Amino acid sequence: MWRPTRPTGCAELYALCGVDGFRFLRCPFSPEEELRWSHAALAAWTEPEASESNLDLTHAGERGALWAQHEAAPSSSALRHLSWVTLGYHYQWSERRYDEARRSPFPPALGALGADLGRAVGQPLRPEAAIVNYYAPRSSMGGHCDDAEPCQDAPIVSLSFGLSATFLLGGPSRHAAPLAMRVRSGDVVVQGGASRGCYHGVARVLRGTAPPS
């Protein structure tokens, strides 16, 4: 059962009864802010000096000015094949760990935003790493637990921009039945406390749910 806590600015903040440390912040961003963060995710954060990406394996020579290339020729753009980028400390997918030697400067504005959101829900943090996932309509993400970070006390802060999605929050093992919730553009999910160790995933990205342009 949802339990409203205090509002953050003009946004509504919810806790989940019986799930320690879980917070759901209903879109604290203006439409203009949503657009700026979406643009950063598609332009600045995809540049090779800013991140590592799945495109490094298949389209390494096309990563520079990726968004500008897409605007010029969307049908042949490598952006259509973008699945993820990592920022700050780069997650190593095969080893399921972070490598101290593989690091890019963490985007200062994103770091400040993460810290502000943590403070707003009473769970302070200093962001040093991020994984940005890019979803196509009707795509999904399997249930998983974020247990590779050296500091398991810091909360996970998840931002969503663009299409709505069905987010699933499970328990500390795969045997717990997940709770489904709809995440819309601009919503923020924070997994702190005991919820930091809960399995979670995305059941489906919902076609035709983009916010007004």
Side-chain angles (χ1 to χ4, degrees), residues 59-110:
H59 297 76
E62 303 175 54
R63 280 201 62 196
L66 193 62
W67 178 246
Q69 294 179 42
H70 182 77
E71 288 187 304
S75 62
S76 60
S77 168
L79 191 70
R80 298 181 301 120
H81 305 284
L82 181 66
S83 298
W84 54 264
V85 302
T86 56
L87 307 170
Y89 288 101
H90 299 300
Y91 183 63
Q92 305 305 300
W93 299 88
S94 299
E95 298 88 354
R96 296 194 70 253
R97 66 181 182 88
Y98 288 88
D99 186 342
E100 290 277 347
R102 296 179 68 169
R103 181 184 187 187
S104 298
F106 196 82
L110 182 60

Side-chain angles (χ1 to χ4, degrees), residues 84-149:
W84 54 264
V85 302
T86 56
L87 307 170
Y89 288 101
H90 299 300
Y91 183 63
Q92 305 305 300
W93 299 88
S94 299
E95 298 88 354
R96 296 194 70 253
R97 66 181 182 88
Y98 288 88
D99 186 342
E100 290 277 347
R102 296 179 68 169
R103 181 184 187 187
S104 298
F106 196 82
L110 182 60
L113 174 64
D116 287 346
L117 290 170
R119 282 193 296 271
V121 301
Q123 301 186 41
L125 76 156
R126 181 169 60 88
E128 296 181 307
I131 299 174
V132 185
N133 295 303
Y134 301 84
Y135 295 96
R138 300 182 64 83
S139 60
S140 62
M141 173 184 283
H144 63 284
C145 183
D146 292 334
D147 55 3
E149 293 78 18

Side-chain angles (χ1 to χ4, degrees), residues 10 24 40 64 80 105 116-117 120 143 152 171 180 191 203 208:
C10 60
F24 188 105
R80 298 181 301 120
D116 287 346
L117 290 170
Q152 290 290 302
Q191 289 179 242

Side-chain angles (χ1 to χ4, degrees), residues 122-209:
Q123 301 186 41
L125 76 156
R126 181 169 60 88
E128 296 181 307
I131 299 174
V132 185
N133 295 303
Y134 301 84
Y135 295 96
R138 300 182 64 83
S139 60
S140 62
M141 173 184 283
H144 63 284
C145 183
D146 292 334
D147 55 3
E149 293 78 18
C151 179
Q152 290 290 302
D153 294 329
I156 305 165
V157 177
S158 300
L159 315 174
S160 296
F161 296 106
L163 298 175
S164 298
T166 302
F167 177 80
L168 300 177
L169 179 70
S173 76
R174 293 185 180 274
H175 302 294
L179 176 70
M181 58 197 83
R182 183 162 178 169
V183 176
R184 298 173 174 83
S185 183
D187 288 348
V188 180
V189 168
V190 180
Q191 289 179 242
S195 74
R196 175 67 170 77
C198 289
Y199 280 81
H200 55 281
V202 176
R204 182 63 58 91
V205 175
L206 306 175
R207 184 186 298 274
T209 57

